[in-house]
Amino acid sequence: MIFIDACFRKKTPYTPIWMMRQAGRYLVEYKETRKKAKNFLDLCKRVDLATEITLQPIDILDVDAAILFSDILVIPYEMGLDLEFIEGVGPRFLQTIDDDKSFKTLRTNIHKNLNYVYECVDSVRKRLPKDKALIGFSGAPWTLATYMIEGSGSKSYEKSKKMLYQNPSLLHSLLESISNEIKQYLSMQIKAGANAVMLFDSWANALEKDKYIEFGWRYLQDIAKYLKNEFLNIPIIVFPRGVGAFLESLDGSFDVFGIDWQIDMLVAKQKIGSKFVLQGNLEPARLYNYEAMKEGVIKIIDIMQNKGHIFNLGHGMIKDLPRENAIDLVKLVHEISSKYS
């Protein structure tokens, strides 16, 4: 698989590409499939529908890897926090973790309750072309903890930061508990057929450097070390969004480091390109205009030259991006990067 080869810095005929949120609302096919489910959580639990959605970008875009269709919040949901998805608003937990009492109500060993995810991995891998990789994933401990403490997405993370400074031992206990669940969750995805796994730390930018390393990166390192000991040949991808100011301070047993669009790829290459294969980082909004998209592709590929690089967006697909440009993006990346093979 060219994607897996690139994760391990092996020579490839072109730079592989996939896109975060590549299975999503910009595709008519996704919208039609979603109508078959009762709600978003039901969509994640329906193996047949989740399989269908996972495979759609492979069939439509010809990307080099599929990423499992699920949601990062299935872990806190199975740990005992009731979850609802409100149209136009997003996810919301009906209970939150704010003290030792609420923390002690959380269930453990919940990876056993996520069979619908592993069944989807198995189903997709059986239908996926052999030359295409399947990426499993999880939210990172810090990002999941913020949802569990705040109850929903946040702009200021006031409750999470209050716990960090007023009751750091509780926050560490929560993060450790989440990390233990993620280790088993990703292990089960790998055993079910995932060829690589990815950790999304979407709210890494909420913390200053020292606190992020203590309450965020430390737990990601622990998960990566565990997985590498168990599954040496499975690439581990990490995406800590918004940490450009202290890239050089981050290290660990990761194979691939996701770069968001606010970080200049040349800077990322200079600072951590020798430690990790880099993934990214086209600004998603460039897909609104073909020429702007092409300009961005050429710049990134000229910097990376098909070495230590997986092409992706610097964040997820926006819901109204032109699908034709997404198709063209894949073609452009394959064609332009092949000149450096």
Side-chain angles (χ1 to χ4, degrees), residues 96-104 163 167 170:
T96 57
I97 305 302
D98 48 25
D99 54 23
D100 290 301
K101 183 179 179 180
S102 56
F103 169 67
K104 290 177 181 177
M163 183 183 293
N167 197 347
L170 175 59

mmCIF file of all heavy atoms in Angstrom, residues 96-104 163 167 170:
data_model
loop_
_atom_site.group_PDB
_atom_site.id
_atom_site.type_symbol
_atom_site.label_atom_id
_atom_site.label_comp_id
_atom_site.label_asym_id
_atom_site.label_seq_id
_atom_site.Cartn_x
_atom_site.Cartn_y
_atom_site.Cartn_z
ATOM 1 N N THR A 96 -21.895 15.839 32.896
ATOM 2 C CA THR A 96 -20.499 16.238 32.742
ATOM 3 C C THR A 96 -19.678 15.726 33.922
ATOM 4 O O THR A 96 -20.224 15.319 34.949
ATOM 5 C CB THR A 96 -20.355 17.771 32.659
ATOM 6 O OG1 THR A 96 -20.934 18.370 33.826
ATOM 7 C CG2 THR A 96 -21.029 18.311 31.404
ATOM 8 N N ILE A 97 -18.366 15.778 33.773
ATOM 9 C CA ILE A 97 -17.449 15.393 34.844
ATOM 10 C C ILE A 97 -16.900 16.669 35.471
ATOM 11 O O ILE A 97 -16.208 17.441 34.810
ATOM 12 C CB ILE A 97 -16.290 14.530 34.296
ATOM 13 C CG1 ILE A 97 -16.835 13.314 33.546
ATOM 14 C CG2 ILE A 97 -15.358 14.113 35.436
ATOM 15 C CD1 ILE A 97 -17.741 12.418 34.367
ATOM 16 N N ASP A 98 -17.241 16.898 36.728
ATOM 17 C CA ASP A 98 -16.778 18.129 37.372
ATOM 18 C C ASP A 98 -16.249 17.913 38.789
ATOM 19 O O ASP A 98 -15.776 18.857 39.428
ATOM 20 C CB ASP A 98 -17.885 19.184 37.399
ATOM 21 C CG ASP A 98 -19.203 18.638 37.902
ATOM 22 O OD1 ASP A 98 -19.191 17.636 38.651
ATOM 23 O OD2 ASP A 98 -20.246 19.206 37.540
ATOM 24 N N ASP A 99 -16.314 16.672 39.282
ATOM 25 C CA ASP A 99 -15.769 16.395 40.607
ATOM 26 C C ASP A 99 -15.466 14.903 40.723
ATOM 27 O O ASP A 99 -15.720 14.126 39.804
ATOM 28 C CB ASP A 99 -16.734 16.847 41.716
ATOM 29 C CG ASP A 99 -18.129 16.254 41.564
ATOM 30 O OD1 ASP A 99 -18.261 15.185 40.903
ATOM 31 O OD2 ASP A 99 -19.081 16.833 42.106
ATOM 32 N N ASP A 100 -14.910 14.500 41.865
ATOM 33 C CA ASP A 100 -14.542 13.094 42.060
ATOM 34 C C ASP A 100 -15.759 12.177 41.983
ATOM 35 O O ASP A 100 -15.664 11.055 41.466
ATOM 36 C CB ASP A 100 -13.849 12.919 43.420
ATOM 37 C CG ASP A 100 -12.469 13.550 43.451
ATOM 38 O OD1 ASP A 100 -11.625 13.162 42.636
ATOM 39 O OD2 ASP A 100 -12.240 14.444 44.284
ATOM 40 N N LYS A 101 -16.884 12.634 42.486
ATOM 41 C CA LYS A 101 -18.098 11.814 42.488
ATOM 42 C C LYS A 101 -18.540 11.489 41.068
ATOM 43 O O LYS A 101 -18.839 10.331 40.746
ATOM 44 C CB LYS A 101 -19.211 12.539 43.253
ATOM 45 C CG LYS A 101 -20.495 11.727 43.361
ATOM 46 C CD LYS A 101 -21.542 12.500 44.151
ATOM 47 C CE LYS A 101 -22.849 11.690 44.229
ATOM 48 N NZ LYS A 101 -23.897 12.439 45.002
ATOM 49 N N SER A 102 -18.593 12.492 40.220
ATOM 50 C CA SER A 102 -19.022 12.255 38.835
ATOM 51 C C SER A 102 -17.985 11.424 38.079
ATOM 52 O O SER A 102 -18.343 10.592 37.236
ATOM 53 C CB SER A 102 -19.279 13.578 38.109
ATOM 54 O OG SER A 102 -18.140 14.422 38.156
ATOM 55 N N PHE A 103 -16.705 11.610 38.401
ATOM 56 C CA PHE A 103 -15.655 10.818 37.752
ATOM 57 C C PHE A 103 -15.810 9.336 38.088
ATOM 58 O O PHE A 103 -15.647 8.464 37.227
ATOM 59 C CB PHE A 103 -14.272 11.314 38.186
ATOM 60 C CG PHE A 103 -13.143 10.408 37.793
ATOM 61 C CD1 PHE A 103 -12.808 10.239 36.453
ATOM 62 C CD2 PHE A 103 -12.434 9.708 38.756
ATOM 63 C CE1 PHE A 103 -11.766 9.383 36.087
ATOM 64 C CE2 PHE A 103 -11.391 8.865 38.401
ATOM 65 C CZ PHE A 103 -11.064 8.697 37.054
ATOM 66 N N LYS A 104 -16.153 9.040 39.331
ATOM 67 C CA LYS A 104 -16.263 7.646 39.765
ATOM 68 C C LYS A 104 -17.457 6.921 39.156
ATOM 69 O O LYS A 104 -17.545 5.691 39.232
ATOM 70 C CB LYS A 104 -16.325 7.591 41.293
ATOM 71 C CG LYS A 104 -15.003 7.955 41.963
ATOM 72 C CD LYS A 104 -15.117 7.973 43.483
ATOM 73 C CE LYS A 104 -13.787 8.359 44.120
ATOM 74 N NZ LYS A 104 -13.873 8.455 45.607
ATOM 75 N N MET A 163 -10.455 23.111 36.197
ATOM 76 C CA MET A 163 -10.064 21.837 36.793
ATOM 77 C C MET A 163 -8.561 21.653 36.732
ATOM 78 O O MET A 163 -7.935 21.175 37.688
ATOM 79 C CB MET A 163 -10.762 20.667 36.092
ATOM 80 C CG MET A 163 -10.454 19.315 36.725
ATOM 81 S SD MET A 163 -11.206 17.912 35.858
ATOM 82 C CE MET A 163 -12.954 18.210 36.145
ATOM 83 N N ASN A 167 -7.824 21.507 40.401
ATOM 84 C CA ASN A 167 -7.856 20.093 40.789
ATOM 85 C C ASN A 167 -7.111 19.257 39.748
ATOM 86 O O ASN A 167 -7.698 18.392 39.084
ATOM 87 C CB ASN A 167 -9.308 19.619 40.920
ATOM 88 C CG ASN A 167 -9.426 18.318 41.696
ATOM 89 O OD1 ASN A 167 -8.429 17.638 41.947
ATOM 90 N ND2 ASN A 167 -10.650 17.949 42.064
ATOM 91 N N LEU A 170 -7.439 15.373 39.689
ATOM 92 C CA LEU A 170 -8.672 14.842 39.096
ATOM 93 C C LEU A 170 -8.562 14.807 37.578
ATOM 94 O O LEU A 170 -8.930 13.815 36.943
ATOM 95 C CB LEU A 170 -9.875 15.680 39.523
ATOM 96 C CG LEU A 170 -11.219 15.299 38.856
ATOM 97 C CD1 LEU A 170 -11.580 13.850 39.142
ATOM 98 C CD2 LEU A 170 -12.319 16.241 39.323
#
